[in-house]
Amino acid sequence: MALLSVIRRWHFREQLSIRAIARRTGLSRNTIRKYLRSDAVQPVFRTPDRPSKLDSFAERLAAWLRADVRRPRKQKRTARQFHEELMGLGYDGSYRRVAAFVRAWRDDWLRQQQASGRGVFVPLAFAPGEAFQFDWSEEHAVIGGERTKLQVAHLKLCHSRAFLVRAYLLQTHEMLFDAHNHGFRVLGGVPRRGIYDNMRTAVDRIGPSRERQVNARFLAMASHYLFEPEFCNPASGW
């Protein structure tokens, strides 16, 4: 999950204060305040008035932590190792700041796992408003006397199984965004997280350790609607 999207969800959805978010992330309060006031949904790292030296490295560190949770326990890196790797990229701040960021990120990830009851499999029972699933299917219809191939967007609530289906000619970002917009409008709200496969409009690349490079436009949409995107492992739609 993108760090800016997490900050927006914590503040606007979970009502955390800027001070609490700064304590969790290790970022300066000015940096967090600028993001929240700008109405931006994509991170643009500018030098804040009172910067933390970690600010410009925060996205990189969060990406490393996301990759680490999928590694065997003995291969996971320590906060000290993260600090050394950041120093190799030019970070000259303290180890304490990095350790606070790592601890807060891991604590939040653990809380999410415990709150949702998630393990290796996507659970079959969901709380109201907890999650939705989104996917595409390819269908055909006769339009104007011609057999036409359609790309059909399916958005379904995991608890109630209420759903919306919309057909398009293409699977572009514009169609993806339109389907989500109408889905949330018709179903009456936005759940806390969305479950996806690794569709091209959401995931640009999957690395050897299953670390995903999530598409920037897709992340901007998730940040705008304040939900957490979650992806199935390749060839593991269950």
Side-chain angles (χ1 to χ4, degrees):
M1 56 186 137
L3 184 61
L4 177 56
S5 181
V6 174
I7 290 171
R8 284 172 52 80
R9 287 201 306 274
W10 280 347
H11 185 70
F12 294 116
R13 190 152 204 162
E14 300 181 22
Q15 305 299 308
L16 286 184
S17 67
I18 291 175
R19 182 186 296 274
I21 295 172
R23 190 164 53 246
R24 283 191 180 188
T25 62
L27 301 180
S28 66
R29 280 179 282 174
N30 277 353
T31 296
I32 295 168
R33 192 175 289 110
K34 278 190 175 183
Y35 286 154
L36 296 174
R37 286 178 177 173
S38 69
D39 292 327
V41 293
Q42 298 187 68
V44 178
F45 286 100
R46 299 184 179 92
T47 303
D49 297 333
R50 296 173 57 192
S52 162
K53 292 182 178 180
L54 187 59
D55 288 349
S56 58
F57 297 91
E59 276 294 315
R60 177 68 62 88
L61 181 53
W64 287 348
L65 286 161
R66 288 196 299 272
D68 244 43
V69 298
R70 301 182 179 91
R71 292 180 171 179
R73 183 176 59 84
K74 292 185 178 180
Q75 294 181 18
K76 294 183 186 299
R77 288 166 286 186
T78 64
R80 183 70 64 182
Q81 289 172 313
F82 284 126
H83 178 244
E84 292 172 357
E85 292 184 31
L86 288 174
M87 289 177 66
L89 297 177
Y91 173 70
D92 61 353
S94 69
Y95 162 74
R96 181 180 59 83
R97 178 73 75 174
V98 174
F101 184 103
V102 171
R103 183 170 56 253
W105 192 97
R106 286 174 171 166
D107 287 348
D108 181 65
W109 181 84
L110 184 60
R111 278 193 298 271
Q112 291 178 30
Q113 300 303 302
Q114 293 171 340
S116 62
R118 283 177 282 175
V120 177
F121 300 92
V122 175
L124 297 180
F126 297 84
E130 178 187 346
F132 68 90
Q133 294 171 301
F134 182 92
D135 204 355
W136 292 96
S137 68
E138 189 173 286
E139 313 292 344
H140 289 82
V142 177
I143 302 176
E146 294 186 6
R147 190 170 186 266
T148 304
K149 183 168 69 175
L150 299 175
Q151 306 300 320
V152 180
H154 304 253
L155 193 150
K156 179 179 290 186
L157 299 181
C158 295
H159 174 72
S160 67
R161 312 305 292 169
F163 65 92
L164 179 80
V165 176
R166 287 179 68 86
Y168 302 91
L169 293 176
L170 299 170
Q171 284 189 31
T172 65
H173 278 114
E174 288 71 24
M175 307 302 101
L176 175 72
F177 302 157
D178 184 76
H180 280 75
N181 175 57
H182 285 290
F184 298 147
R185 175 183 60 82
V186 170
L187 297 174
V190 183
R192 290 187 295 275
R193 58 191 179 96
I195 301 170
Y196 299 84
D197 67 6
N198 298 282
M199 55 191 185
R200 291 190 303 274
T201 46
V203 177
D204 290 337
R205 186 175 65 86
I206 301 178
S209 62
R210 294 183 178 176
E211 179 184 358
R212 289 166 180 79
Q213 181 179 328
V214 182
N215 181 270
R217 296 187 73 191
F218 177 87
L219 278 180
M221 178 192 69
S223 182
H224 171 75
Y225 285 113
L226 302 176
F227 69 84
E228 175 193 352
E230 181 179 287
F231 300 96
C232 300
N233 289 329
S236 303
W238 36 257

